[in-house]
Amino acid sequence: MDRAKRILITEPIMQAVMDKLSARFDVTVGRRGYYNKKENLLNELRDYDAVLCMLSNPLDREVIESAGRLRIIANNAVGYNNIDVDAAREAGIFVANTPDVLTDATADGTFALLLAVARRIPEAERALRRGEFDGWNPTGFLGMELRGKTLGIIGMGRIGTGVARRALAFGMKIAYHNRSRADDALEKELGAAYIDSVPELCRQSDIISLHCPLTAGTKHLINGEILTLMKKTAILINASRGPVVDEAALAAALKSGTIAGAGLDVYEHEPEVHPDLPALENCVLLPHITSATHETREAMGHLAADAIIGILGGKAPESIANLL
Ligand code: GLV
Ligand code: GLV
């Protein structure tokens, strides 16, 4: 128990995790969405020793430099493009994320999205709900068969690898691009072809799935020009970060038939969705849920909370595996 230490959990998370921190520290839980506004972080973060934050909270240099008392930022997400990690390092503030525990849930979720697009599941279900099911139709709602198709993965980290393993079970071929080539053993296990250039990977793939982090180098990696290189039958899946795709260019490509379909879990300006997308039947739009299982959201919260408990309790930073 260390009631002198103040923790901000920026919005309600899994109860067991809030209870764990509340049993040890003076915890404040923010209102959902309130700390998505930078101004609120700027005004209030200086009062806390630790923050357990969401990927929608902008912890940029100015916010970090305003928070003189802060010892650790624990992001309730694996992606941490919302945090200026260099600024935190310079200020002597630790940053933690939630790797590993969400790999399976996110890979499952990505595959659900992929199948939903390939087999037109939401579109067909919407038709039934409108009362349009008139019996088995030999030519109705035809989709893409996965066996023998090439899945192009951009970003072969833990999640990309998890998606590739699932795709193998469906008889797909794997091609990938990554900043660094995967080791031989993994390439062999997946039968994966490394393709040095993103345009070439996009040219060859039937389905392209994005699993890279958002950085200055991956912003708009998928732009209008790259979309025109893809097969007309191609499907694009994005469960990484919205700005990796130029959303306006994608909406135009889906409208004009430059590619056949898309599955998006993330958006360039969340929670906004490009206004042309919801009207298109050839895309499946999810509200950033690919890691959303009971098990994983609880494990993510515990991992973030444990990093806070470790740092504030004086544990050696080297012993906390999820510090960046
Ligand atoms: C979710 O998008 C995450 O980064 O964990
Ligand atoms: C994220 O955890 C990744 O490595 O894909």
Side-chain angles (χ1 to χ4, degrees):
M1 290 274 264
D2 189 350
R3 294 286 173 207
K5 298 249 162 55
R6 298 197 62 203
I7 316 295
L8 175 65
I9 303 175
T10 59
E11 62 181 75
I13 58 173
M14 299 297 274
Q15 190 63 47
V17 180
M18 294 194 290
D19 291 347
K20 180 187 218 170
L21 286 171
S22 299
R24 291 171 170 81
F25 306 111
D26 176 2
V27 170
T28 301
V29 179
R31 242 183 314 115
R32 175 156 166 75
Y34 176 78
Y35 290 104
N36 294 349
K37 273 217 176 76
K38 173 174 165 179
E39 192 191 321
N40 295 334
L41 288 167
L42 264 180
N43 290 337
E44 298 172 32
L45 203 56
R46 64 169 59 90
D47 296 334
Y48 296 97
D49 299 281
V51 59
L52 198 161
C53 60
M54 309 305 130
L55 60 88
S56 49
N57 304 150
L59 278 83
D60 65 6
R61 178 172 287 277
E62 196 186 354
V63 166
I64 286 169
E65 288 179 351
S66 77
R69 179 170 163 182
L70 204 62
R71 300 278 321 285
I72 173 166
I73 298 164
N75 209 33
N76 194 31
V78 68
Y80 49 86
N81 52 285
N82 57 311
I83 300 167
D84 188 330
V85 177
D86 290 335
R89 271 200 195 111
E90 287 165 31
I93 299 169
F94 293 102
V95 181
N97 70 338
T98 63
D100 300 318
V101 294
L102 49 52
T103 300
D104 281 324
T106 306
D108 286 354
T110 301
F111 226 82
L113 182 56
L114 186 160
L115 281 166
V117 181
R119 299 304 298 273
R120 304 170 61 180
I121 303 287
E123 179 191 354
E125 208 240 11
R126 281 192 293 272
L128 177 141
R129 286 177 192 254
R130 285 194 302 265
E132 293 169 13
F133 180 39
D134 57 359
W136 187 79
N137 180 344
T139 60
F141 294 111
L142 305 183
M144 179 197 280
E145 183 123 353
L146 297 189
R147 182 164 302 279
K149 298 298 190 309
T150 297
L151 175 63
I153 293 182
I154 299 181
M156 192 63 112
R158 291 161 287 226
I159 297 167
T161 302
V163 171
R165 290 200 171 110
R166 284 156 178 76
L168 276 186
F170 283 80
M172 298 189 81
K173 297 184 205 137
I174 312 296
Y176 77 99
H177 176 82
N178 197 57
R179 267 171 316 173
S180 54
R181 193 166 170 168
D183 58 36
D184 284 350
L186 185 63
E187 280 193 1
K188 212 160 164 206
E189 176 202 327
L190 301 172
Y194 175 68
I195 297 186
D196 196 23
S197 106
V198 170
E200 189 50 35
L201 181 75
C202 289
R203 243 185 234 114
Q204 292 184 16
S205 301
D206 297 294
I207 299 182
I208 294 109
S209 194
L210 307 176
H211 300 287
C212 51
L214 173 61
T215 63
T218 61
K219 177 154 194 244
H220 284 192
L221 183 67
I222 304 300
N223 55 28
E225 201 179 323
I226 292 273
L227 285 160
T228 61
L229 301 178
M230 294 180 188
K231 299 181 183 182
K232 273 182 106 67
T233 50
I235 291 171
L236 176 71
I237 304 294
N238 188 12
S240 62
R241 284 291 181 268
V244 175
V245 176
D246 178 341
E247 207 167 298
L250 174 64
L254 288 168
K255 241 179 170 167
S256 64
T258 304
I259 66 170
L264 304 179
D265 187 45
V266 291
Y267 304 87
E268 236 184 302
H269 307 288
E270 291 181 19
E272 281 160 45
V273 174
H274 190 283
D276 290 350
L277 291 173
L280 298 172
E281 289 283 19
N282 59 349
C283 60
V284 176
L285 307 171
L286 298 181
H288 206 150
I289 60 162
T290 48
S291 75
T293 66
H294 293 285
E295 295 87 343
T296 284
R297 287 295 167 83
E298 187 148 323
M300 288 167 68
H302 282 300
L303 197 55
D306 288 346
I308 291 175
I309 293 167
I311 289 296
L312 296 188
K315 251 180 137 182
E318 309 79 68
S319 70
I320 302 173
N322 60 320
L323 291 184
L324 295 169

